[in-house]
Amino acid sequence: MNNKLIIAFLCFSLFGYSQKKASKKAVAIKAKSEFVADLMARMTLDEKIGQLNLPTSGDITTGAANSSNVAKNIEEGKVGGLFNIKSAEKIREVQKIAVEKSRLKIPLLFGMDVIHGYETTFPIPLGLSCTWDMKLIERSAQIAAQEASADGINWTFSPMVDISRDPRWGRISEGSGEDAFLGSQIAKAMVNGYQQDDLSKNNSILSCVKHFALYGASEAGRDYNTVDMSRIKMYNDYFPPYKAAVDAGAGSVMASFNEVDGIPATGNKWLMTEVLRNQWGFKGFVVTDYTGIPEMMAHGMGDLQTVSALALNAGIEMDMVGEGFLTTLKKSLAENKVTVEQIDNAVRLILNAKYDLGLFQDPYKYCDVKRAKSEIFTSSNRLEAREIASQSLVLLKNEKQFLPLKKSGTIAVIGPLADAKENMAGTWSVATNMDKSISLIAGIKEVAGSGANVLYAKGSNLDYDAAFEEKATMFGKTLHRDTRTSADLLAEALKIANQSDVILAALGESAEMSGESSSRTNLEIPQAQKDLLQALLKTGKPVVLVLFTGRPLVLVEENETVPAILNTWFAGSEAGSAIADVIFGNENPSGKLTTTFPRSVGQVPIYYSHKNTGRPLGNQEGKFEKFKSNYIDERNEPLYPFGFGLSYTTFDYSNLKISSDKMSFSGKVNVSVDVTNTGTFDGKEVVQLYIRDLVGSVTRPLKELKGFQKIALKKGEKKTVTFEISIEELKFYNSDLQFVAEAGQFEVYIGGSSNTDNKVGFELNK
Ligand code: BGC
């Protein structure tokens, strides 16, 4: 028995088990492979298939667990895990059924979508990514794991690492944006945060990287839609974050709903076996997404028995909700459509995960009600969440240094998102207690203190269309639709606006306008709010747009008319306080965009690392040129590029240097730049390094992010930032899908956003 197990047993006894019982069990626990093999030798075929079944908690509520259908299935050994049940007490009750009533007493996995925090909720992942701070991101995942594990959860369906370059897709909010390099760093940080270096720790939980693969590239941005992509694009632009999560040791992978190369991911053997297992060496288990197996019937892949066998043959181990495995695998085995080895292999991987989590040593290790009471939504977790949230905000415009505001005078906070605590946590915040989130108005009052007079009016509903608002405020995320007329709402807002020195307009999307099944074709702020904003601007009072959104929006009109725009995403349970910290200058904004903000929905998909084409517009931006690659009705460039975000201070980049203009395949070059804080605030800057490979055997992007450093600079301070470039930063997948670097000329750019043209060059030689 190794040290980890000894520690596990010591903890085990502390948590209420008698020393005698623990040591008896300790003797029973063998090394993983032996333990799992012994257990499997005692399992019937039905019990094995049962382990592959992952139902939802369904009709289980406290006190009712024993009489539910799910409970009956657990008792009969037909369930491997359950998901989205909240509370250590309920989970303990359900676990008890598995370990006391089922024949082999195999504990269950308990999963949940803890994708940006548990009760202490962090910014939506897209917002979190804008911190560009891997330590903070890892810390957010660790706090999430700490809280979830204290409440019975041992498995999270996160990180969601789908690259997306299409803001029409609502689930862009759940990922880390458009870039493979940044996405990979974040994937790794999240896995490390959830699993730490040891899954058997009480506060580590199993991660599940999703949605494998390419889910973010659904056609027309419509959720669940077809994906059609070249393999070279998959390998270069979309696969890296999944691979990074696998390399970081993610214990499980979730299949995506979409098809890949004409075969649904759930039944795609090339994807699940060749890429994931053979090429990347993944050792954990793969779970389908919700009803992913039966959905293959609608994809046109056959009946339930056929698609279930297809999934197992492809390399899927666990069936979420679909019950295709549970109801058809036995028949498929009898008809030689699947093999017993395939079933055994799947069972083994799931039991391995349970073993790694320490569930065989102590099935109740995550169900300590005392921990649940003392470790969840604590003031220290909330303080960290507030700090992280403030770092995720992106200042998009700040004319004449209008922000930060003074904590004095009369401040009008107007808009349907101003007093909307139910919406602050954003999408997929299953465990959040929405009632406890801090609204903008509450945060402004708290941070402004007694020196300022804070007034509030709703001003408008989310949209004129009540039916639209209903779709956009599901799952309890109400905006309390006001039944007054639009004219009455506006009149009240204007009255307050006219009494004030400054207006904070809290506008944008509601939380459920992004996320799953919330695709949009129109990327503007809803019309009722646009009208409100223009009316507020007409008062002549200074207006700050405090924007809420789960995706890049089209903000051309707002950018032209509003002096200051602070994009706050959905910043989590502490949103209001974090936003107020930034508005009043307690925190200097340092977030940088991780997705391009288009000027028009017609530019989508839009991303910074595009190719040049044979007819580039070059430096003619803004001028139309016939027979060049451009539009007759819009510019090519976005409104706000990837990597962009303002600060209350300014940063100057100078003295860009490269250690040599030649590099060999085994060599390295250093690129350095001096960054000076030239403004009047201390601040943080994300220094970004991009590389362009000028000539290749395949066409190469105009720029690719290959490094970044977030640095803090006091006002007036200068720092030299150095990046090392080795062959790794120059490699890409060629048309044979080999990961290679090719000799030739490279350009290196360093700056504060992707549109920097501050560059040096070097040549790579064999
Ligand atoms: C989503 C997944 C999620 C699962 C379980 C599905 O609808 O696509 O991201 O993990 O539900 O809640």
Side-chain angles (χ1 to χ4, degrees), residues 21-228:
K21 231 174 170 181
S23 56
K24 212 167 133 201
K25 281 201 174 190
V27 176
I29 295 291
K30 300 177 181 140
K32 181 163 72 182
S33 58
E34 205 185 327
F35 178 85
V36 169
D38 275 5
L39 181 55
M40 284 178 62
R42 289 185 283 131
M43 291 171 85
T44 63
L45 178 62
D46 287 324
E47 283 165 336
K48 286 180 179 172
I49 293 174
Q51 284 301 306
L52 316 186
N53 185 32
L54 177 70
T56 56
S57 51
D59 49 356
I60 288 183
T61 52
T62 303
N66 279 305
S67 57
S68 70
N69 279 340
V70 183
K72 193 167 148 282
N73 279 347
I74 297 171
E75 221 175 299
E76 291 171 6
K78 290 184 183 161
V79 176
L82 278 179
F83 67 101
N84 289 353
I85 315 186
K86 194 182 171 201
S87 102
E89 271 169 352
K90 284 187 205 169
I91 290 177
R92 172 178 275 273
E93 193 184 345
V94 178
Q95 189 71 297
K96 203 168 164 199
I97 305 173
V99 296
E100 290 185 12
K101 297 201 178 156
S102 74
R103 192 178 75 89
L104 290 172
K105 311 188 179 341
I106 301 175
L108 300 170
L109 289 172
F110 287 94
M112 189 186 268
D113 290 277
V114 183
I115 77 161
H116 53 116
Y118 192 69
E119 278 195 24
T120 303
T121 314
F122 300 97
I124 54 168
L126 186 60
L128 199 55
S129 68
C130 293
T131 65
W132 295 62
D133 187 325
M134 298 309 117
K135 284 210 181 87
L136 284 189
I137 291 174
E138 181 172 334
R139 183 72 194 130
S140 77
Q142 219 309 276
I143 292 173
Q146 177 88 31
E147 292 197 359
S149 64
D151 216 11
I153 300 298
N154 48 43
W155 183 25
T156 177
F157 302 138
S158 173
M160 190 283 209
V161 303
D162 302 322
I163 295 292
S164 185
R165 295 163 171 191
D166 192 335
R168 293 172 299 183
W169 190 53
R171 302 197 80 172
I172 198 169
S173 56
E174 290 177 57
S176 297
E178 70 184 45
D179 186 66
F181 179 84
L182 178 63
S184 299
Q185 311 291 317
I186 293 175
K188 184 174 154 196
M190 299 281 291
V191 171
N192 288 342
Y194 292 131
Q195 299 191 169
Q196 305 182 82
D197 51 353
D198 179 0
L199 260 183
S200 73
K201 283 184 181 164
N202 274 355
N203 59 2
S204 288
I205 58 177
L206 190 73
S207 68
C208 183
V209 56
K210 69 187 188 186
H211 306 82
F212 191 58
L214 319 179
Y215 186 29
S218 59
E219 282 181 357
R222 180 155 55 78
D223 208 0
Y224 319 123
N225 204 5
T226 307
V227 170
D228 191 4

Side-chain angles (χ1 to χ4, degrees), residues 163 165 178 180 232-241 704:
I163 295 292
R165 295 163 171 191
E178 70 184 45
I232 194 168
K233 190 163 187 146
M234 293 180 198
Y235 276 82
N236 279 313
D237 298 343
Y238 283 75
F239 278 173
E704 287 178 295

Side-chain angles (χ1 to χ4, degrees), residues 412-427:
V413 187
I414 298 175
L417 275 311
D419 186 17
K421 62 182 177 206
E422 295 88 344
N423 276 256
M424 294 300 97
T427 191

